[in-house]
Amino acid sequence: DGAPDSQQGALSAIASYSGVLHPPTPASFAMWQTYRDVMVGFRKQVEGLLLDQDQNTRHAALVAFGALNTRPGENAWVMDFDEAAMQTWSEVFHRDPSAIMRSEVVKLAWMCKCRDSIGEKRKQLFREAIYDTDAGVLQYAVRGAADLKISDMLDSVVRLLKHEDDGLRQNAATAVAMFGPEARRYDSEIREALAKETREEVRSLLRSTLPVE
């Protein structure tokens, strides 16, 4: 059915019957076990709708695709991409004109409990996302850089300490602090940002990165 409402409803059903839209309970894990094979059978259709002209349909496909790459963990849902899924995910980021979609892609890549085999592809997505113009995309690229300690992204993270978006500056300051001693080579840039910063939460994070005087 080519009607957007029908497609979006079907995609929501795929995500729901995959179990992951529900709390991580024995009942929802049982749902995952029961319907898993059937839902995975829709993978190609879901991937195809990631290219749909309708943004709401693409977003519903994104949620469904994430659900199809999620499994039960220890009292939690674990997003677990293989190499093919990560490749698809990266392609969506590169081609989608919507900042909302790109932000969701980078967010889910950040949340992913990914396999070692896709570690470099995942890092590369964050390296590319850090040059996006949208603050929502940037905040998850920054979080990915900090969590994975991607050293060659630190320069870009430090530059975002001067960004006009308050939340993004706070994310960048948190990331710089997480890099620890590695961030010390940016002492002058951090002090400059501290001198201009007006939010105390961000100032506190920046001070924590500087040597005790």
Side-chain angles (χ1 to χ4, degrees):
D1 189 339
D5 287 350
S6 297
Q7 291 177 327
Q8 291 162 30
L11 289 164
S12 296
I14 290 170
S16 181
Y17 278 98
S18 295
V20 300
L21 297 188
H22 307 283
T25 63
S28 57
F29 288 170
M31 180 185 291
W32 185 91
Q33 293 286 353
T34 300
Y35 294 107
R36 176 67 175 171
D37 290 343
V38 175
M39 295 302 105
V40 169
F42 292 106
R43 186 183 183 101
K44 289 298 181 184
Q45 290 96 322
V46 171
E47 289 184 5
L49 289 173
L50 289 169
L51 297 169
D52 197 83
Q53 293 184 345
D54 185 275
Q55 180 178 317
N56 291 330
T57 299
R58 295 200 311 276
H59 187 269
L62 197 72
V63 174
F65 186 82
L68 294 179
N69 290 280
T70 302
R71 59 175 173 79
E74 186 175 349
N75 300 316
W77 291 110
V78 176
M79 187 167 291
D80 184 20
F81 285 5
D82 58 16
E83 291 189 48
M86 193 66 217
Q87 182 62 35
T88 298
W89 215 235
S90 296
E91 290 171 1
V92 172
F93 174 78
H94 289 123
R95 70 183 173 229
D96 204 291
S98 165
I100 294 173
M101 286 285 290
R102 297 196 308 276
S103 178
E104 284 296 302
V105 167
V106 182
K107 175 184 176 181
L108 292 178
W110 166 62
M111 293 171 61
C112 176
K113 304 297 183 184
C114 292
R115 308 175 189 192
D116 291 342
S117 61
I118 67 162
E120 282 307 314
K121 286 186 178 180
R122 186 179 175 215
K123 289 179 180 179
Q124 187 60 29
L125 177 60
F126 295 132
R127 290 186 180 109
E128 294 167 1
I130 201 71
Y131 292 102
D132 203 276
T133 56
D134 181 75
V137 175
L138 290 170
Q139 70 169 322
Y140 292 114
V142 165
R143 293 180 184 185
D147 284 354
L148 299 180
K149 296 294 188 295
I150 308 175
S151 298
D152 55 23
M153 289 185 66
L154 185 51
D155 186 67
S156 296
V157 172
V158 170
R159 285 202 300 270
L160 292 176
L161 294 173
K162 299 178 181 179
H163 199 278
E164 62 183 11
D165 185 272
D166 290 350
L168 181 53
R169 290 200 312 279
Q170 184 163 344
N171 273 292
T174 300
V176 170
M178 289 174 67
F179 272 96
E182 192 174 357
R184 295 283 168 79
R185 67 180 186 271
Y186 294 97
D187 183 272
S188 60
E189 289 90 341
I190 293 171
R191 291 181 186 278
E192 181 182 353
L194 178 60
K196 296 178 179 179
E197 183 56 58
T198 58
R199 298 186 66 202
E200 184 53 39
E201 305 97 310
V202 182
R203 289 177 58 82
S204 177
L205 286 164
L206 292 173
R207 283 195 292 267
S208 73
T209 68
L210 297 171
V212 177
E213 297 179 347

